[in-house]
Amino acid sequence: WLGINIFLFTYYFLFFDRDERYFYTRAILGSALAWARASAKCLNFNSMLILLPVCRNLLSFLRGTCSCCRRTLRKQLDHNLTFHKLVAYALALLTAVHTIAHLFNLERYNHSQQATDGSLAAVLSKMHLQGSNKWLNPIHSNQTTVEYMAFTTIPGLTGVIITLALILMVTSSTEFIRRNYFEVFWYTHHLFIIYFAGLVIHGIAGLVRGQTEESMEEVSPQRCAYYLTHKEEDCRHDCCKDPEFGSIPAESWKWVLAPVLLYIFERILRIWRAWQKVVVTKVVMHPARVLELQMQKKGFRMEVGQYIFVNCPAISLLEWHPFTLTSAPEEDFFSIHIRAAGDWTERLIDTFQQQKLEMPRIEVDGPFGTASEDVFQYEVAMLVGAGIGVTPFASILKSLWYKFQHDDQTLKTKKIYFYWLCRDTGAFAWFNDLLASLEQKMAESGKADFLTYRLFLTGWNNSIANNVALRFDTATDTVTGLRHKTIFGRPMWNSEFAAVAAAHPRSVVGVFLCGPGALAKSLQKSCHQHSSLDPRKVKFYFNKENF
């Protein structure tokens, strides 16, 4: 992608800097023309790409078709949001280059219009006086200012609008805004409609012009430019005609038409699925303000680790929020766990707590695929969840429980290491029952060593520490009631990875994370450090949830 951008920019920069059709245009604008047009071509290319990574149904389809492909090829689909952000940053940078170049262009147009020195730029700027087709300089009056052109012409006004829309979208997409003011991010991001509408309209006025093909055949710019500034009163047969100019045709719509149509189809499909009735069969309020919703929907099929988008019309008609499914494919319902983490989730939890007779209506879009779908493709899996980020692994562990119940012989995975990091003890409560059931079932099946889990409490006070110290010798953990004791503090990842590598020296280990970016960097670094260069030895592959 970066290479294509560099190639496109370089190619079109050289093209507009050398093409004979723009010889006279360059006489007025200089190299600013090439900067403006090259950045415009790259803007069109990136505008074509920006919607594709957020077409969730397309990505789920591609993930399904790539299920038999190489692991590295499938993993590229997990970076869709990262790619989306990179393209957005490229759009912001290219917009800045394009805008600055056109500000120089307008200033040079204005300067050439006011010039009286008889230079080629001055002569070309006066050609509008000879006929409506002749003009090359869009500024036809000495009183016309750069500000007037920017806010009254179609290219100027649409340029201002789409630039403001892009600035709002990029700034509202920062981590802080998304985490703390999701509604601001959600609504401002829909300015992309204005962005694409303005992009298509932006070039139709054709203010930047070049010499027409017909005029090029009769009037060679290299040979005839001299006669524009040295016209003789008695012109002989070797004199040239005046050149004629035409607008550069608008091309943005050609670049974005297919992605926009694909995205419209995507949205229609989402709306159709959202209209399908969802029945909330069970509501459970867990400690630490975690709400569990169990639901049923006709034709709903899921895989482990997938996620859905949820809307509650009683709270907001337009807001859709992503939640990982915590149920297993083998169950006759699908469930999500929602932690209070913002205005919308707070209102949703309050709505279900206060409901009396009638259950609030819920709309569901999905499910959509994620990296966690591939967990059973690895011989050994390391699952790392932080806080409510444990939800995709709830689905995986539940599915494991059912596979053990039915003695599934197709299960490729031989060992799972599960790590859960929490700040407070209440967060462990809703997941304890599942871990306790897995412990019992695997012990009964003679596979007690299949699952190794380690729970880390990263926040505690003196009373908790004293209570644990007093009951240190008990068979079960004081905090969770499970056989494995809770560890106070954060994991030493180098030690954990070294132990896994030593236990499985010839295995392919999948590392799956649902958690913050800082933890992702740490795990990714450990994966590289502990993977052997020898293809016959241990390899760690990092996978992160992105939605």
Side-chain angles (χ1 to χ4, degrees):
W1 164 79
L2 181 60
I4 294 173
N5 271 292
I6 294 172
F7 171 78
L8 280 176
F9 190 90
T10 305
Y11 173 81
Y12 281 108
F13 186 91
L14 296 174
F15 174 80
F16 284 101
D17 200 43
R18 297 178 181 180
D19 195 314
E20 290 290 293
R21 289 175 296 176
Y22 305 104
F23 177 87
Y24 293 114
T25 315
R26 289 195 299 272
I28 299 176
L29 302 179
S31 62
L33 170 69
W35 282 99
R37 298 307 302 169
S39 57
K41 294 294 184 181
C42 290
L43 276 169
N44 288 335
F45 171 66
N46 286 281
S47 296
M48 176 184 72
L49 297 178
I50 192 72
L51 288 177
L52 298 179
V54 292
C55 290
R56 297 190 290 266
N57 290 292
L58 173 64
L59 294 177
S60 293
F61 171 76
L62 291 175
R63 182 180 291 279
T65 57
C66 293
S67 59
C68 299
C69 301
R70 289 177 59 86
R71 185 179 290 112
T72 51
L73 180 61
R74 292 200 311 274
K75 280 187 66 176
Q76 301 310 310
L77 297 175
D78 302 329
H79 302 299
N80 61 311
L81 292 185
T82 302
F83 182 65
H84 179 72
K85 293 173 186 176
L86 286 174
V87 174
Y89 294 144
L91 284 175
L93 176 62
L94 291 165
T95 298
V97 173
H98 186 71
T99 302
I100 293 169
H102 270 315
L103 288 174
F104 276 102
N105 288 339
L106 286 174
E107 191 59 45
R108 289 173 180 175
Y109 274 137
N110 194 42
H111 183 267
S112 299
Q113 170 61 32
Q114 296 179 11
T116 57
D117 56 2
S119 63
L120 180 58
V123 172
L124 290 168
S125 297
K126 301 296 189 297
M127 291 190 70
H128 65 276
L129 300 174
Q130 302 176 25
S132 58
N133 277 6
K134 298 280 187 178
W135 66 272
L136 181 63
N137 188 335
I139 298 178
H140 297 165
S141 169
N142 290 343
Q143 284 72 46
T144 304
T145 63
V146 172
E147 293 79 8
Y148 178 83
M149 292 293 293
F151 290 98
T152 60
T153 61
I154 291 176
L157 188 58
T158 55
V160 170
I161 291 172
I162 62 180
T163 301
L164 289 175
L166 188 62
I167 290 171
L168 286 171
M169 285 189 287
V170 171
T171 54
S172 66
S173 301
T174 58
E175 184 77 12
F176 177 79
I177 298 294
R178 286 203 327 272
R179 293 289 182 188
N180 298 284
Y181 306 97
F182 186 84
E183 292 81 2
V184 174
F185 159 75
W186 179 261
Y187 288 116
T188 54
H189 230 59
H190 282 76
L191 291 173
F192 80 91
I193 298 170
I194 293 174
Y195 172 84
F196 277 97
L199 185 70
V200 171
I201 299 170
H202 183 60
I204 62 174
L207 292 189
V208 178
R209 292 159 69 87
Q211 193 173 356
T212 62
E213 295 288 349
E214 296 79 7
S215 177
M216 287 282 294
E217 294 177 1
E218 298 179 353
V219 186
S220 171
Q222 294 286 0
R223 182 174 64 85
C224 297
Y226 173 82
Y227 292 101
L228 287 174
T229 54
H230 299 80
K231 287 188 176 180
E232 299 177 358
E233 293 183 5
D234 182 19
C235 189
R236 297 179 178 85
H237 66 280
D238 60 343
C239 288
C240 294
K241 295 180 180 179
D242 287 340
E244 294 188 359
F245 306 101
S247 299
I248 300 175
E251 294 183 341
S252 296
W253 67 271
K254 297 178 183 178
W255 290 83
V256 302
L257 179 62
V260 167
L261 289 177
L262 183 64
Y263 187 78
I264 290 172
F265 175 75
E266 168 95 5
R267 294 306 289 255
I268 291 172
L269 180 59
R270 292 186 199 175
I271 292 169
W272 175 74
R273 290 199 304 201
W275 281 347
Q276 295 178 321
K277 185 179 180 181
V278 175
V279 179
V280 179
T281 56
K282 190 175 182 181
V283 179
V284 182
M285 192 66 207
H286 295 284
R289 292 274 287 171
V290 174
L291 174 70
E292 179 184 356
L293 296 180
Q294 296 184 9
M295 297 167 280
Q296 290 180 331
K297 181 179 178 182
K298 185 178 180 181
F300 188 92
R301 297 182 184 87
M302 63 164 288
E303 297 294 334
V304 293
Q306 290 187 327
Y307 68 97
I308 59 174
F309 273 79
V310 175
N311 170 260
C312 182
I315 298 174
S316 172
L317 291 172
L318 299 178
E319 286 185 48
W320 291 79
H321 293 254
F323 295 97
T324 307
L325 290 164
T326 54
S327 53
E330 293 83 356
E331 294 175 312
D332 60 355
F333 63 89
F334 62 97
S335 66
I336 56 175
H337 284 69
I338 302 168
R339 177 174 60 88
D343 294 341
W344 189 88
T345 50
E346 288 278 4
R347 293 200 300 268
L348 183 71
I349 291 171
D350 290 340
T351 300
F352 275 94
Q353 280 186 317
Q354 296 166 7
Q355 62 89 18
K356 303 299 181 183
L357 298 175
E358 188 176 355
M359 196 76 73
R361 180 170 159 241
I362 291 292
E363 295 178 352
V364 169
D365 181 26
F368 302 106
T370 65
S372 296
E373 283 186 56
D374 296 335
V375 66
F376 295 138
Q377 300 297 320
Y378 293 89
E379 301 167 18
V380 180
M382 295 175 68
L383 314 180
V384 183
I388 199 66
V390 74
T391 49
F393 309 130
S395 174
I396 292 167
L397 295 178
K398 281 184 181 180
S399 185
L400 272 176
W401 191 86
Y402 283 105
K403 289 180 186 297
F404 277 114
Q405 272 196 326
H406 297 96
D407 196 21
D408 190 344
Q409 300 297 321
T410 63
L411 185 62
K412 183 179 179 180
T413 307
K414 305 301 180 186
K415 178 71 176 181
I416 285 184
Y417 296 88
F418 173 56
Y419 305 85
W420 190 11
L421 290 68
C422 274
R423 291 181 182 176
D424 56 87
T425 56
F428 288 118
W430 70 270
F431 204 56
N432 286 355
D433 291 342
L434 174 61
L435 289 176
S437 299
L438 282 169
E439 274 186 335
Q440 182 181 354
K441 182 61 183 176
M442 289 174 186
E444 292 172 356
S445 304
K447 296 182 179 179
D449 294 333
F450 180 88
L451 173 67
T452 298
Y453 63 86
R454 294 164 70 81
L455 309 182
F456 295 84
L457 187 62
T458 58
W460 69 90
N461 53 37
N462 291 333
S463 63
I464 295 175
N466 292 333
N467 190 31
V468 171
L470 288 172
R471 303 185 182 183
F472 181 78
D473 294 330
T474 57
T476 57
D477 182 56
T478 306
V479 178
T480 63
L482 299 169
R483 295 177 189 173
H484 289 260
K485 297 297 180 74
T486 300
I487 301 168
F488 289 79
R490 299 183 181 277
M492 302 294 291
W493 290 117
N494 279 331
S495 301
E496 299 293 341
F497 274 80
V500 173
H504 309 278
R506 289 183 174 79
S507 296
V508 177
V509 183
V511 180
F512 295 85
L513 168 69
C514 187
L519 182 55
K521 291 179 181 178
S522 178
L523 290 174
Q524 198 164 18
K525 182 180 178 181
S526 296
C527 285
H528 290 304
Q529 287 179 343
H530 293 276
S531 289
S532 173
L533 295 175
D534 188 340
R536 295 168 297 178
K537 295 183 179 179
V538 66
K539 292 285 183 184
F540 290 91
Y541 288 92
F542 180 71
N543 304 271
K544 184 181 185 300
E545 295 292 311
N546 292 290
F547 53 82

